Amino acid sequence: MSLRTGTLTHPRRAQRALYATAAAIAAGTLLLAGQAGATGTGLKTLAEAKGIYFGTALTQSNLSNSALTAVASGQFDMVTPGNEMKWDTTEPSNGTYNFSPGDQIVSYAQANGMRVRGHNLVWHSQLPSWVSSLPTTQVQAAMESHITTEATHYKGKVYSWDVVNEPFNDDGTLRQDAFYAAMGNGYIADALKTAHAADPNAKLYLNDYNIEGQNAKSDAMYNLVKSLKAAGVPIDGIGLESHFVLGQVPSTMKANMQRFTALGVNVAVTELDDRIQLPASSANLAQQATDFTTVVDDCLAVSGCVGVSQWGVGDADSWIPGFFSGYGAATMYDANYQPKPAYNAVVTALGGSTSSPSASVSASASASPSASPSPSPSVTGVASSCKVADVVNAWNTGLTENITITNTGSGTVNGWTLGFTLSAGQTITSAWSATITPTSGQVTATNLSYNGTLTPGAATTIGFQANHTGDAAAPASFTLNGKTCSAG
Ligand code: G3I
């Protein structure tokens, strides 16, 4: 673990160096002790040694997935609640608050030594309709009460708040949402001041997408920050969401970060993912590794860049398949929480090694999935039996389904097909971790080469996205290599 070099004149750089020193000492102790897999290993240790954090988004339902939480707690040191601190959850009706889902994320983070990025206090989306239905004369009071109540509830428990989320249109004009309609552009300063009064120690951010490179939208954010700083409004950072399309990380990202930090604010990569048109080829995964490297390198090159967070732990948790039809594979981990080439690339960018026996990250840096189906299913050993758990996440016309297949038999499954029947009106538009044919009715999912072997007790998760016409029900039963599986 080496410290970053450079003249430590910038206060944030000095702060980062101090943090790096502490982390490097901790990491060194850990290497001497040889505790692979213990607290303090993984991306987070490498990141901390460089003076930044490495985070992930987590949702409440993620907390009961042990494969996911093993990666989350082992690799990441910052958590952003995916939905649990948003207005529709925390104040679903005027003056009625529900902090239970967010509290669960905070408890998980605290139990695992992770910090929390509060996300978010004011946003046009996931905003309950009672707010947008208020007379404009009542919106400011509602906004201030919401901010004060939520920021006070989480006072001392969050590292930062995304105080205003996604305020800009892509052309650099402010969104004409309920807050703008009521208060004009002054709502942003008002929100920041209100949050600061409630929790003076939380870092206060404005967070947006498509502001990673230099363009009309990031120019508008830059000008806003400049005017807020000039007016003495409390603002500590800008979140660059970084929802990228494969191969399209802007070449101006580093320069853009630098111009923000020159204004006296930090920057953070807050929601990193890199979507691929499915099925992902090995060339796609290699490009994704390059994209993740670029982002991490850019953050490390800018002294006021405090950290990088990925949006979701693995491909199974990503919002991408549900929002961008035909796209997915956007994170560093595949649907079975196996690291992809992007993970190894990030380890390298952070100064680690994926082959060094002393780095615990090497333990989880196993083979990446390839996309070819493997033929000739067979079972070696004795009895074959299976169980299948499936989770459907449906919206009005679509759904995603993740199916976990467990070999509960005493023999090893060498290649498999999973048979099931889709409900009437369901049509598969994309699949991951298996090939599935046909797209409706009675279908067969066939393993890919990386997940064809299931030793006794082993499990693999596959999934698909489908359109539906009203019936979003999961299949009634599944067969593995022709044998009916139990549910579970
Ligand atoms: O909770 C309801 C559930 O009751 C209902 O049955 C189900 C079906 O309609 O919907 C559930 O709500 C979903 C919610 O996620 C919780 O799962 C919404 O439909 C769905 O739209 C919502 O998506 C979230 C999205 O923000 C909404 O804009 C994603 O999970 C979340 O990852 C995503 O996160 C945003 C960041 O906050 C801001 N930046 C962009 C990023 C990606 O869109």
Side-chain angles (χ1 to χ4, degrees):
M1 307 293 171
S2 62
L3 293 180
R4 299 183 61 208
T5 54
T7 316
L8 301 177
T9 49
H10 190 290
R12 278 187 195 83
R13 187 176 292 172
Q15 190 180 23
R16 183 193 272 189
L18 277 175
Y19 187 31
T21 307
I25 291 166
T29 309
L30 202 120
L31 291 182
L32 286 175
Q35 296 171 333
T39 303
T41 60
L43 294 180
K44 59 184 179 184
T45 301
L46 296 170
E48 285 166 15
K50 294 283 187 185
I52 65 171
Y53 62 78
F54 218 104
T56 184
L58 285 180
T59 63
Q60 195 181 2
S61 64
N62 288 162
L63 302 181
S64 54
N65 180 340
S66 57
L68 182 156
T69 53
V71 173
S73 62
Q75 299 292 329
F76 301 108
D77 57 4
M78 183 71 80
V79 175
T80 307
N83 289 303
E84 292 69 11
M85 291 186 182
K86 294 173 182 175
W87 199 319
D88 59 352
T89 296
T90 54
E91 194 186 3
S93 57
N94 197 345
T96 303
Y97 288 89
N98 175 19
F99 295 119
S100 169
D103 289 352
Q104 289 178 42
I105 305 276
V106 170
S107 296
Y108 173 83
Q110 289 176 339
N112 289 282
M114 306 155 101
R115 291 183 292 168
V116 175
R117 295 194 78 258
H119 176 79
N120 52 58
L121 293 171
V122 178
W123 188 24
H124 75 277
S125 180
Q126 288 176 283
L127 182 69
S129 56
W130 70 263
V131 181
S132 32
S133 310
L134 284 173
T136 50
T137 52
Q138 295 175 26
V139 173
Q140 182 170 3
M143 183 188 84
E144 290 175 356
S145 296
H146 180 78
I147 293 171
T148 300
T149 307
E150 181 159 8
T152 300
H153 179 83
Y154 288 113
K155 185 176 180 178
K157 295 178 179 171
V158 296
Y159 159 73
S160 64
W161 272 113
D162 290 332
V163 177
V164 179
N165 202 44
E166 302 177 358
F168 286 107
N169 296 308
D170 279 349
D171 66 2
T173 57
L174 283 167
R175 278 180 199 276
Q176 311 282 299
D177 60 12
F179 309 105
Y180 184 88
M183 291 167 265
N185 60 7
Y187 88 89
I188 296 175
D190 190 57
L192 287 161
K193 288 176 191 166
T194 308
H196 184 68
D199 186 354
N201 293 321
K203 304 288 183 198
L204 303 185
Y205 276 68
L206 303 178
N207 187 52
D208 216 326
Y209 61 88
N210 289 351
I211 59 164
E212 296 78 19
Q214 292 187 353
N215 55 38
K217 192 172 185 176
S218 64
D219 287 351
M221 182 67 95
Y222 177 84
N223 290 329
L224 173 63
V225 173
K226 206 172 175 180
S227 66
L228 291 169
K229 292 294 278 186
V233 175
I235 175 160
D236 300 293
I238 296 301
L240 313 178
E241 291 190 7
S242 305
H243 295 294
F244 293 126
V245 177
L246 187 71
Q248 295 182 23
V249 177
S251 58
T252 53
M253 187 161 178
K254 184 168 82 178
N256 189 44
M257 287 175 165
Q258 280 165 335
R259 68 171 173 160
F260 278 108
T261 60
L263 291 176
V265 292
N266 288 335
V267 291
V269 173
T270 52
E271 303 182 11
L272 177 61
D273 50 34
D274 194 32
R275 59 185 180 268
I276 298 176
Q277 192 158 16
L278 299 171
S281 67
S282 50
N284 294 155
L285 296 175
Q287 177 63 52
Q288 186 177 58
T290 301
D291 291 354
F292 270 77
T293 297
T294 301
V295 173
V296 173
D297 282 351
D298 285 351
C299 182
L300 290 175
V302 178
S303 64
C305 181
V306 294
V308 177
S309 297
Q310 176 171 272
W311 202 243
V313 172
D315 291 346
D317 317 306
S318 170
W319 68 298
I320 293 294
F323 283 75
F324 295 96
S325 183
Y327 284 80
T331 75
M332 292 181 287
Y333 283 91
D334 72 15
N336 296 311
Y337 300 104
Q338 295 303 304
K340 294 159 60 182
Y343 172 85
N344 294 338
V346 169
V347 168
T348 303
L350 291 172
S353 161
T354 52
S355 56
S356 156
S358 62
S360 70
V361 287
S362 65
S364 54
S366 61
S368 308
S370 69
S372 54
S374 101
S376 314
S378 67
V379 177
T380 51
V382 211
S384 71
S385 66
C386 48
K387 67 176 180 181
V388 166
D390 67 319
V391 178
V392 179
N393 185 7
W395 57 98
N396 49 354
T397 58
L399 61 87
T400 58
E401 188 159 338
N402 282 302
I403 302 168
T404 301
I405 309 159
T406 306
N407 176 9
T408 53
S410 51
T412 294
V413 175
N414 299 302
W416 48 262
T417 59
L418 187 77
F420 54 96
T421 302
L422 296 168
S423 295
Q426 292 185 11
T427 307
I428 293 177
T429 53
S430 64
W432 50 92
S433 306
T435 48
I436 306 182
T437 55
T439 55
S440 60
Q442 200 173 341
V443 302
T444 301
T446 304
N447 68 273
L448 302 184
S449 58
Y450 82 95
N451 63 358
T453 301
L454 295 176
T455 54
T460 189
T461 300
I462 67 168
F464 61 86
Q465 183 179 348
N467 296 325
H468 70 80
T469 55
D471 184 351
S477 64
F478 296 86
T479 57
L480 190 71
N481 293 344
K483 193 170 176 74
T484 301
C485 300
S486 60

